[in-house]
Amino acid sequence: MSTVVYERREVRSARYAVAAVFAVHGAVTGSFATRVPWIQDHAGVSAGQLGLALAFPALGASVAMPLAGRVSHRFGARTALRGLLALWTLALVLPSLSPNLLTLCLALFVYGATAGMSDVAMNALGVEIENRLDKSIMSGLHGMWSAGALIGSAAGTLAAHLGADARLHHALAAAVLTVAGLVACSRVLDLQPAEDEDPPPRFALPPRSALLIGAVGFCAVFAEGASLDWSAVYLRDQLEASAGLAAACTTGFTLTMALARFAGDKVVDRFGAVRTVRVSGVLATLGGLLIVAGGHPAVAMTGFALMGLGIAVVIPLCFAAAGRAGSNPSLAIAGVATITYTSGLVAPSAIGGLAQATSLVVSFGLVTALAFCLVVFAKVLRAGDRERRKVSPPNAAVPDRQS
């Protein structure tokens, strides 16, 4: 263990830097999600083929995510995050350049691999900063991710409304976000492994304590991934909405997620993790019912907004619960991250495959059922209820707990 110390003000500064990293990461996702209909048309693929292509980010992430820890160990947390985030922002341009199913699958494999590794690196830093500050910040950090996704999807909505070529749109977005990411990464904590620390294993099974927590996260992230990648397609194909209105639906979804996450830390401190997740599950289930049974763009958009509101705080609470469960918190967090992230990347392809066999209405019926599981299994996140501890004085030095 290193003896380096950070002043509390340095840790607070690093918190804002990591928050900016979360926003950049989210902006890439929002930029991509709103242009999925354009990418589908450009590549000339059906709903089922699009679902197949959207399975490749999950494959790429599953292969690459276990390597993120070794990259951080080899280069240090700051350098690793800087490089991984830049690869992710630049990978945004690849899907829109794909002229057919094969190239789209390859592009999305790289897209998923870079997304997964940068996601693991930034969440690990977020958890470390939360521990050093001794107060809940993960919901707010994920709120910054949603805010970034909102900005990215809003720009995508405007681009879709103007009929802009997604190749140009994504090239400009990638350039801006790469610069923003590099600037933000320059202020994160420069954590280095201890000299005698062994590198983490390339692959490790999640501990038992992470499996149930990960299952709850799986339900929430499945709904999030399905809504992000298919909400615009749902309004366009199922309800015959315009391209601009369809893209605006994704924006509404990300907006409610962002608002809920920014308020999430205070809500959880007041009502507890279990009660918060149960109420959230009710809201998400109601949203799913409106999507499935509404039959009108305005009703479906309201449903997607409620879905975003309902699932927003579940993932931050999953990370909090994993960090307080079992004898190996870091391994539990990694296990939950792998399960939930894979869910988000698998969800779009599962929705597409089910839509090809039945319809998008049936697909979102599955999403609604998974949302109801949050109500039933909320007690699994009981470990996420934070016991308030005495916080260090504002100017106290914070030891570098590198591990």
Side-chain angles (χ1 to χ4, degrees):
M1 180 180 295
S2 173
T3 58
V4 178
V5 297
Y6 285 101
E7 294 292 332
R8 192 170 182 81
R9 62 177 178 272
E10 293 178 297
V11 179
R12 287 198 297 265
S13 177
R15 172 189 177 180
Y16 300 135
V18 171
V21 169
F22 270 75
V24 169
H25 197 283
V28 177
T29 303
S31 298
F32 169 75
T34 51
R35 305 312 303 271
V36 168
W38 189 98
I39 292 170
Q40 179 184 4
D41 292 341
H42 178 68
V45 297
S46 66
Q49 290 173 325
L50 178 62
L52 172 64
L54 289 173
F56 276 79
L59 180 59
S62 298
V63 171
M65 274 196 297
L67 302 177
R70 292 183 70 89
V71 173
S72 295
H73 183 274
R74 172 67 177 82
F75 298 102
R78 179 186 293 171
T79 300
L81 181 60
R82 182 186 293 127
L84 294 174
L85 187 66
L87 289 175
W88 162 235
T89 55
L90 293 174
L92 173 62
V93 304
L94 299 178
S96 61
L97 296 176
S98 305
N100 53 51
L101 178 61
L102 176 61
T103 55
L104 181 59
C105 290
L106 293 174
L108 289 175
F109 180 91
V110 176
Y111 177 86
T114 55
M117 288 194 292
S118 56
D119 188 274
V120 169
M122 71 186 192
N123 271 289
L125 273 172
V127 170
E128 179 66 24
I129 292 171
E130 179 175 88
N131 289 337
R132 291 165 187 248
L133 292 176
D134 195 25
K135 66 178 182 179
S136 300
I137 67 167
M138 289 301 292
S139 183
L141 291 180
H142 283 259
M144 288 299 296
W145 187 96
S146 293
L150 173 62
I151 294 171
S153 63
T157 298
L158 178 60
H161 180 73
L162 296 175
D165 190 309
R167 291 169 293 189
L168 176 60
H169 164 213
H170 284 168
L172 292 174
V176 171
L177 293 174
T178 299
V179 173
L182 291 174
V183 171
C185 287
S186 67
R187 300 298 301 274
V188 302
L189 297 181
D190 190 17
L191 304 180
Q192 299 288 339
E195 293 183 1
D196 59 348
E197 181 182 343
D198 294 328
R202 289 185 175 87
F203 300 99
L205 293 176
R208 185 176 302 175
S209 61
L211 295 180
L212 288 177
I213 297 171
V216 173
F218 183 97
C219 295
V221 177
F222 191 99
E224 180 180 351
S227 298
L228 277 174
D229 282 351
W230 283 97
S231 57
V233 177
Y234 187 93
L235 260 71
R236 185 194 66 175
D237 293 354
Q238 193 67 36
L239 302 178
E240 300 181 350
S242 67
L245 188 62
C249 180
T250 305
T251 302
F253 172 80
T254 54
L255 174 61
T256 56
M257 283 197 69
L259 294 175
R261 283 176 169 171
F262 282 124
D265 290 322
K266 291 183 178 179
V267 171
V268 172
D269 284 343
R270 181 179 178 87
F271 298 105
V274 174
R275 189 182 302 177
T276 300
V277 172
R278 280 180 178 155
V279 174
S280 297
V282 170
L283 291 175
T285 302
L286 176 59
L289 292 174
L290 290 177
I291 294 167
V292 171
H296 189 277
V299 177
M301 291 177 73
T302 301
F304 279 112
L306 284 174
M307 184 71 73
L309 183 65
I311 64 177
V313 300
V314 178
I315 293 306
L317 287 176
C318 284
F319 282 116
R324 299 177 179 89
S327 58
N328 193 331
S330 61
L331 186 58
I333 290 171
V336 169
T338 300
I339 294 170
T340 57
Y341 202 86
T342 300
S343 170
L345 295 173
V346 167
S349 63
I351 293 297
L354 187 56
Q356 183 76 5
T358 55
S359 69
L360 278 172
V361 173
V362 174
S363 295
F364 277 93
L366 172 62
V367 173
T368 304
L370 291 175
F372 184 70
C373 290
L374 299 178
V375 182
V376 178
F377 299 108
K379 63 182 180 180
V380 170
L381 301 187
R382 193 178 308 277
D385 286 324
R386 169 180 287 273
E387 293 183 4
R388 304 310 303 173
R389 298 187 297 270
K390 185 177 180 180
V391 180
S392 303
N395 294 321
V398 182
D400 181 2
R401 296 180 293 178
Q402 296 168 358
S403 60

